[in-house]
Structure formats: structure tokens, C-alpha cells
Amino acid sequence: MAVPVAIAENLRVYYGSALAVTGVSLAVAPGEILAFIGPSGCGKSTVLRCFNRLNDRVAQARVEGQVYLNGVPIYAPEVDPVAVRQRVGMVFQRPNPFPKSIFDNVAFGLRLGARLRQSELTQRVEQSLRQAALWEEVKDKLTQSALALSGGQQQRLCIARAIAVQPQLLLLDEPCSALDPLSTERIEALLRELKSDLAIVLVTHNLPQAVRVADQTAFFNVEAGCGRLVEWGPTPALFSQPTHPATAAYTRGQFG
């Protein structure tokens, strides 16, 4: 395994005094997709949001343990959460394009974080749309509203927006759950291409999707009312030879 881009070490998340998820130690390397699977309420999305400190915005949420991004402990007191989020892209369950043009959606983060000439900005927008497999569909519509795109196109636009700032890590929280099978297939093909340039963590309830796209898979479950990482490892092994009975039961569709 290559040197990890991100490492979670003894991660625990509380909401007030209630322990929401615990026992999380795992890593994701460049060129790799790590999938989080498990039943609803087991802490998958909560853990995902620890990697870019989005839980900081949740009232009464508290994170213990540590997450390292290229060796830097992102929960250290001196680390700026905004700086972390500039290095970690995030794509949510439902497409959330801004009420702006297609071009301005992709350029949004670039304008905030980089001083680029207009020619450079235009080049980066095109590059990101090409990487997101969307350029050919929108190249003549860049000034039109992003809200006019289909759901699948909007999600690929959100991916283009996320990768435009060249993050080191890309987080996706069930990005295909609201999409039709054809759009899902396009997103999966896109993720397989994108992983050559960065590390990806994907939350999914779609077990065949995890099998198709993930190099590593982590299984979370609810035990004694608390989310817990049960096991993680290479996807083929976790699905064919899991070490924990709960993993075997879940991957066989016996619960969840």
C-alpha cells in the first residue's frame, strides 16, 4: 500500500454526551477508492465528515482521536478547518449546484483560493469539466444556469467543482442514491478515472457499487446503540472472506 493520504486513528464522535461512533482506525492511499458500507445509523457519513471537519458545524458534536492528512493532524488546535476543506473535496448525496452559470459553479473555488488570470481560469474550468466527463455535454452552454442540467449532469458538475481546486482527497456521501442507473454508471466510471490523481472515500448503501468501484471497503455496524467500525480491507476479501460474522451477514443481505 502506498503512503496514505488520510489516516483516521482511534476516532470517536460524540453528540453531546452520547457516543455516536467509535473504534475507527483506517487509511486511504492515493490511487485508491475506500468505500464505507453498513446499515443506516451506523456512523458512515459521520466518519466521512471527520475527514474535512464538517462535524465542527454540528451543534454539540465532538471528535476525539485524530485524522491525519498527508501527515498533518487536522484536529490540532493550530489547524484552520477552512484550510482543511480547501484540500478535501466533498460531494453530497443530492446534487447541490449553486444558482449560477455552469462556468461560475466550477470556477467558484478557484476564485476564492487562487489568483488566476482569466485565461488560466478558463483552462482550469475546462480541464475539470473534462475530468468529470461533462465537457462535451456543456461546452456550448457554459453561461447557462447549472440548475437547468439533469440530475446526473448536476452531480458530475458538483464533482467538477470539487476537483477544480485539485484536492488531495475527495469525499462522496452516497453520490448516486438519487440518480438513475445510467447516471450511476457514468459516475462510477468517472470515479475509476479520478482515482489515478487522488484518494477517494465513498459512502454507499449500494453493495454491488462497492464491489464494482472500491479497492478497499470498511464495514460499519451498530452495536449497543453505537456505530462502530467492524472491519476493513481489500474489497474482494471483505465480501468473499469476511472475518466478522456481522460482515458476512450484511454482505449477504441478511440485514440492513
Side-chain angles (χ1 to χ4, degrees), residues 90-92 95-108 125-126 128-135 137-138 141-142 144-164 170 179 187 190:
M90 181 83 182
V91 177
F92 296 92
N96 61 339
F98 302 142
K100 299 174 179 289
S101 70
I102 294 169
F103 184 96
D104 287 341
N105 263 268
V106 182
F108 184 82
V125 168
E126 178 178 342
S128 301
L129 287 168
R130 286 187 182 278
Q131 286 180 293
L134 191 57
W135 174 252
E137 297 169 47
V138 303
K141 307 174 184 177
L142 296 178
Q144 297 181 18
S145 172
L147 301 180
L149 297 173
S150 70
Q153 289 174 323
Q154 287 185 10
Q155 194 66 301
R156 281 182 283 149
L157 179 68
C158 292
I159 293 174
R161 187 176 66 200
I163 63 176
L170 180 63
L179 302 182
I187 295 291
L190 171 57

Side-chain angles (χ1 to χ4, degrees), residues 158-220:
C158 292
I159 293 174
R161 187 176 66 200
I163 63 176
V165 295
Q166 299 177 335
Q168 298 155 341
L169 177 65
L170 180 63
L171 311 176
L172 303 106
D173 194 355
E174 298 187 61
C176 301
S177 64
L179 302 182
D180 60 82
L182 180 58
S183 295
T184 296
E185 183 180 355
R186 287 176 174 168
I187 295 291
E188 291 178 1
L190 171 57
L191 296 183
R192 284 190 286 266
E193 292 181 12
L194 289 177
K195 74 175 186 176
S196 62
D197 296 319
L198 72 171
I200 297 173
V201 182
L202 166 72
V203 171
T204 181
H205 278 288
N206 186 331
L207 297 187
Q209 181 175 75
V211 171
R212 289 191 296 266
V213 305
D215 302 284
Q216 304 276 332
T217 297
F219 170 63
F220 293 78

Side-chain angles (χ1 to χ4, degrees), residues 75-94:
Y75 285 91
E78 69 275 12
V79 173
D80 181 0
V82 175
V84 171
R85 294 177 197 128
Q86 290 173 342
R87 299 163 60 196
V88 181
M90 181 83 182
V91 177
F92 296 92
Q93 182 174 0
R94 292 189 175 275

Side-chain angles (χ1 to χ4, degrees), residues 12 36 51 66 71 92 129 132 157 200 241 244:
R12 299 174 300 282
F36 289 176
F51 284 93
Q66 190 55 266
F92 296 92
L129 287 168
L157 179 68
I200 297 173
Q241 297 177 312
H244 196 285

Side-chain angles (χ1 to χ4, degrees), residues 6-23:
I7 299 173
E9 191 174 89
N10 299 319
L11 203 61
R12 299 174 300 282
V13 183
Y14 293 82
Y15 294 119
S17 61
L19 181 60
V21 61
T22 189

